Amino acid sequence: MEEKPARLTAKPSWLLTQLAVHAHRLASDSFGEVGARGYHYRILAALDEFGVASQAELGRRCSMDRSDVVAAINELAEQGFVERTPDPDDRRRNIVTLTKAGDRQLRRMDRALDKVQDDLLVPLSAEDRQNLTRLLTRLLTYHQRD
């Protein structure tokens, strides 16, 4: 491994950025093996956890831009993983529902992502992993507050 300037390696922001790039690559590769993308996982997970939702709700819950939500839902609908129907209360909105095939795809993606977590965090003990998750959650919550 090439030496890096100490000014960089001593900065948590630099370390987080480097690790985020690596984590994203691992997750993208793993999702690709099951014919999926990260946006698909976000949407399927939200539908599984919260139930039927409008496209706008999914965008907010998944921290996704409206155009990315539409594109991802189009892809998921083409594969039979979600159904999109007009909202009976407002025909301008679409309601999205997780299908049984979508639930199976989500389970495949869960297994792929679990392996990514193991690969990414291999040098950490179970306790260290819990502490890292707790600290990252605290930081993210702080910076996402309104």
Side-chain angles (χ1 to χ4, degrees), residues 30-57:
S30 187
F31 284 152
E33 291 173 9
V34 295
R37 298 185 309 117
Y39 281 163
H40 297 164
Y41 186 77
R42 291 184 194 189
I43 290 170
L44 295 176
L47 290 170
D48 181 62
E49 186 167 337
F50 301 111
V52 175
S54 71
Q55 291 179 177
E57 288 171 312

Side-chain angles (χ1 to χ4, degrees), residues 3-139:
E3 284 188 80
K4 306 288 188 231
R7 281 191 167 122
L8 292 177
T9 60
K11 304 293 186 212
S13 58
W14 186 83
L15 294 168
L16 286 168
T17 301
Q18 297 305 300
L19 194 56
V21 168
H22 182 66
H24 185 267
R25 186 176 64 249
L26 288 174
S28 293
D29 290 350
S30 187
F31 284 152
E33 291 173 9
V34 295
R37 298 185 309 117
Y39 281 163
H40 297 164
Y41 186 77
R42 291 184 194 189
I43 290 170
L44 295 176
L47 290 170
D48 181 62
E49 186 167 337
F50 301 111
V52 175
S54 71
Q55 291 179 177
E57 288 171 312
L58 288 169
R60 287 189 296 276
R61 283 196 174 124
C62 299
S63 299
M64 291 173 60
D65 182 78
R66 183 183 338 209
S67 63
D68 292 329
V69 172
V70 171
I73 289 173
N74 286 343
E75 293 166 358
L76 291 167
E78 286 172 10
Q79 297 173 64
F81 297 147
V82 300
E83 288 180 351
R84 181 177 36 206
T85 56
D87 184 337
D89 297 327
D90 183 351
R91 294 280 182 200
R92 296 170 294 172
R93 289 186 344 177
N94 284 316
I95 297 297
V96 183
T97 307
L98 182 66
T99 65
K100 288 184 184 201
D103 183 64
R104 287 190 300 273
Q105 177 68 346
L106 178 59
R107 303 298 160 228
R108 283 189 291 273
M109 294 177 79
D110 278 334
R111 288 189 297 275
L113 197 53
D114 287 346
K115 183 173 181 339
V116 167
Q117 304 313 298
D118 288 340
D119 292 346
L120 182 67
L121 303 174
V122 73
L124 302 180
S125 69
E127 182 180 349
D128 286 344
R129 290 175 186 207
Q130 289 174 344
N131 286 332
L132 176 64
T133 300
R134 182 181 49 77
L135 291 169
L136 290 172
T137 300
R138 186 189 310 168
L139 284 168

